[in-house]
Amino acid sequence: MKLLVDFRQISRLYGLKDRRALGTARLVAPLLILITYVCMLPIGAFAHALIPAEAISDSDHVIPYLLGSAEVLGPFLSSFFLLVLLSAAMSSLDSVLLVAASSVARDVLILPDDDLRTVARTRLWVVVLSLVSMLLALNPFGDIVSITAFSGSLYAACFLPTLVGGLYWKRGSAAGALACVVTGTVTVIAWHFLRRAGWAEWHEVYVGLLVSLATFVSVSLATSLRE
């Protein structure tokens, strides 16, 4: 669900030049995603086969253990593979920070595009968000698996109802979309901590998606009736 509403994926689809290119993308994109997942899924079984159960206690240590202690690729290829991982992470991070800073300047602060101060303030928000990301990376609230699941839950709860509703439901409204984002964020974060405390069993993605979808529909219906 996170991949379906990823901003970088959506912006590429909207940037296609015509319907013919869109038709090609409808075939090529799912195929490439399938190939990627087929290549990634065996890594888990491979790691379970090579790493003893008592060797590590955190999923963040899987790749370092395979490259270091297990030496599955040897010293030269292990170093090269680690550089590839870091390069991919930096490539993704800079685009995410730029999109986030631009969203703050354009959608939260509502700054005009032709104002010279907009660029300066966007740069300032890039620095601020980079520092926040650095602090979160130095003090993570979980391992890579739990953090990825949490971020995917936020993406799905905040944007999946709006995206699907905007495509196939004509009565969706801006107020409904905003309410969907707010309630989805609050619900996912609150339910995540409830589940960690042992007070809930359902994963936050299901609860957040149900609440945000209900909110989007109800608020959109209420605001569309007023119009």
Side-chain angles (χ1 to χ4, degrees):
M1 287 186 288
K2 178 181 178 181
L3 187 60
L4 292 175
V5 295
D6 190 290
F7 299 115
R8 291 169 293 175
Q9 308 296 335
I10 296 174
S11 63
R12 288 182 176 90
L13 292 177
Y14 277 108
L16 297 175
K17 61 179 181 179
D18 52 30
R19 290 183 176 273
R20 183 178 179 181
L22 181 59
T24 303
R26 288 173 179 172
L27 298 176
V28 174
L31 179 61
L32 293 178
I33 293 174
L34 178 62
I35 293 174
T36 302
Y37 273 106
V38 169
C39 294
M40 291 175 58
L41 289 177
I43 296 179
F46 181 68
H48 277 289
L50 292 180
I51 302 177
E54 67 279 359
I56 59 174
S57 58
D58 194 329
S59 60
D60 288 340
H61 300 157
V62 171
I63 297 299
Y65 186 91
L66 291 176
L67 297 180
S69 301
E71 297 184 348
V72 293
L73 297 177
F76 177 76
L77 289 180
S78 295
S79 302
F80 179 77
F81 184 76
L82 184 60
L83 289 176
V84 171
L85 290 180
L86 293 175
S87 300
M90 293 176 63
S91 175
S92 300
L93 184 60
D94 64 351
S95 61
V96 170
L97 290 174
L98 182 59
V99 170
S102 300
S103 298
V104 171
R106 185 171 183 176
D107 302 323
V108 178
L109 302 179
I110 318 296
L111 299 176
D113 294 336
D114 55 354
D115 191 342
L116 296 178
R117 293 176 299 176
T118 302
V119 177
R121 293 183 182 181
T122 302
R123 291 173 178 171
L124 176 62
W125 277 105
V126 168
V127 175
V128 172
L129 294 174
S130 299
L131 292 175
V132 173
S133 301
M134 180 187 69
L135 293 176
L136 290 176
L138 293 175
N139 301 280
F141 60 87
D143 57 13
I144 186 62
V145 175
S146 59
I147 293 176
T148 302
F150 176 74
S151 64
S153 302
L154 278 176
Y155 267 76
C158 293
F159 304 113
L160 188 59
T162 306
L163 178 62
V164 175
L167 289 174
Y168 301 105
W169 192 45
K170 296 182 179 180
R171 300 185 66 176
S173 65
L178 181 60
C180 174
V181 172
V182 173
T183 56
T185 301
V186 173
T187 303
V188 168
I189 294 176
W191 201 268
H192 173 78
F193 286 105
L194 287 175
R195 193 166 63 88
R196 289 186 63 178
W199 295 348
E201 295 183 359
W202 278 25
H203 196 276
E204 54 266 21
V205 65
Y206 304 113
V207 180
L209 188 57
L210 289 174
V211 172
S212 61
L213 178 59
T215 302
F216 174 69
V217 172
S218 58
V219 174
S220 295
L221 287 175
T223 52
S224 63
L225 289 176
R226 293 177 184 176
E227 297 175 357

